[in-house]
Amino acid sequence: MPELPEVESQRLYLLESVLSPVGRTVQSVRIVRASVVDMATPDSLVTALNGCRLESVKRHGKYLFFRFSTQHATSACWLVAHLRMTGRLYLTSGQEALHRHTRFALLFDSGTLLRFDDPRAFGRVWLIGHPDEVISRLGPDALTVTQEQFLSLLASARRQLKPLLLDQTFIAGVGNIYADELLFRAGLHPLRNSADLSLVERERLYGSLRQVMEEAVTCKGANIDGVFEAGCYPVAVYGRVGQSCRVCATPLVKLKVGQRGTHCCPTCQPVPVAGN
DNA sequence: CACTCTACCTGTGCGC
DNA sequence: TGCGCACAGGTAGAGT
């Protein structure tokens, strides 16, 4: 499931591929499944993008923002994409057929086809006037948040750490895999309450967040069996229930926190006790 | 405000 | 072999 590192990896792929559509003009728009276009009138997306030039691709948290210039060149419109759990972007030659799970595609004048594939069809695309319309509802990006920002946000929260990290209005980009990974790195139990952390623990949480995000981006994402095979980030706890902790060899456990599968080491991440 | 639950989807992997 | 079913997870929205 794409989280910040995987989404960033997709963004760099779009920019750096020899088939990169940046600077190219949209020749045609294919909406294969109307429900992936999160707009009242999906066809209006076709009308809006046809003939527009792709200027850049930005990211905030797990959201991708494609800046398109209009024919008039006086204004721009932005295509937002969220990959949710199983969405993925591919660049191919326009000659190639669509994939079974292609939900949406843009054909550029260079012959490049940008495909939005998504087996589960949870992913969405839609048009906005400016990225701030989306970003204003999100917390700071997990890759670039400063310690000052993070500690300030943490000071006004009073919640279990796992759901807090997954809350995109708190911090943008952390999903279920990296939440478990960074809590393990920080040596903090997912059920600990943010309000009960010492200053040292708060700083350790921030350091772990930044470390895990940067390492995972460098690795182009995680390497989870059959889930996201593209990257090489070696997970320490996610999906390793029953296997031994790489630090202390204790068997890792899996629990449910806020309806979400949560993996941790019972030794490295002590269970919170009353008054702690 | 913190939390819980549900809906949205479909591929996977299990038990029988 | 094949069926049924629980499960996985990001987000929005409703309910406690």
Side-chain angles (χ1 to χ4, degrees):
Chain A
M1 43 296 318
E3 303 179 22
L4 187 154
E6 289 80 18
V7 176
E8 177 66 6
S9 174
Q10 289 265 271
R11 189 181 77 88
L12 296 176
Y13 163 66
L14 296 176
L15 298 185
E16 295 167 1
S17 166
V18 292
L19 291 174
S20 176
V22 176
R24 300 299 181 166
T25 299
V26 176
Q27 206 167 69
S28 63
V29 181
R30 287 282 303 274
I31 298 175
V32 184
R33 182 184 287 220
S35 61
V36 306
V37 179
D38 198 3
M39 298 170 71
T41 50
D43 283 348
S44 64
L45 183 144
V46 179
T47 316
L49 288 185
N50 256 323
C52 289
R53 200 176 96 115
L54 177 60
E55 304 289 349
S56 58
V57 186
K58 310 285 185 195
R59 181 195 57 75
H60 189 97
K62 305 171 194 171
Y63 293 78
L64 284 173
F65 301 94
F66 298 78
R67 182 190 157 97
F68 286 93
S69 64
T70 65
Q71 287 99 328
H72 318 296
T74 50
S75 58
C77 70
W78 296 76
L79 176 75
V80 190
H82 197 298
L83 304 176
R84 295 287 183 99
M85 268 96 72
T86 53
R88 203 150 168 189
L89 299 169
Y90 294 94
L91 297 173
T92 64
S93 155
Q95 313 299 328
E96 289 181 39
L98 299 183
H99 186 270
R100 177 158 71 111
H101 295 129
T102 301
R103 310 303 186 191
F104 170 79
L106 297 175
L107 180 64
F108 289 86
D109 60 356
S110 56
T112 289
L113 184 73
L114 170 58
R115 264 172 35 212
F116 185 102
D117 289 8
D118 188 2
R120 299 272 269 286
F122 271 24
R124 294 287 183 268
V125 295
W126 67 100
L127 289 179
I128 54 173
H130 194 277
D132 284 349
E133 294 170 33
V134 172
I135 295 173
S136 63
R137 294 186 277 108
L138 301 171
D141 187 77
L143 189 59
T144 53
V145 62
T146 65
Q147 176 164 301
E148 187 182 15
Q149 271 180 309
F150 184 82
L151 293 182
S152 165
L153 283 167
L154 197 56
S156 54
R158 186 178 194 85
R159 298 172 63 183
Q160 293 171 339
L161 291 179
K162 176 74 185 271
L164 180 63
L165 290 168
L166 291 178
D167 183 349
Q168 303 300 298
T169 68
F170 172 72
I171 190 94
V174 177
N176 205 38
I177 295 171
Y178 293 108
D180 287 1
E181 292 300 312
L182 75 93
L183 284 171
F184 170 74
R185 180 88 58 118
L188 296 171
H189 195 278
L191 287 173
R192 288 284 301 277
N193 194 295
S194 58
D196 300 333
L197 300 185
S198 69
L199 179 58
V200 169
E201 288 173 328
R202 287 162 193 262
E203 290 175 350
R204 215 162 65 212
L205 183 60
Y206 172 74
S208 302
L209 169 73
R210 290 295 306 278
Q211 273 179 30
V212 167
M213 284 296 131
E214 279 171 26
E215 289 172 21
V217 166
T218 301
C219 290
K220 298 184 181 299
N223 180 15
I224 311 280
D225 295 339
V227 180
F228 213 93
E229 71 289 349
C232 63
Y233 182 78
V235 292
V237 290
Y238 185 85
R240 297 192 65 238
V241 57
Q243 299 180 46
S244 45
C245 172
R246 294 194 177 124
V247 173
C248 71
T250 304
L252 300 175
V253 299
K254 180 174 181 178
L255 47 147
K256 273 243 193 263
V257 180
Q259 312 302 114
R260 315 300 298 282
T262 298
H263 313 73
C264 58
C265 171
T267 302
C268 296
Q269 298 164 270
V271 178
V273 294
N276 181 18

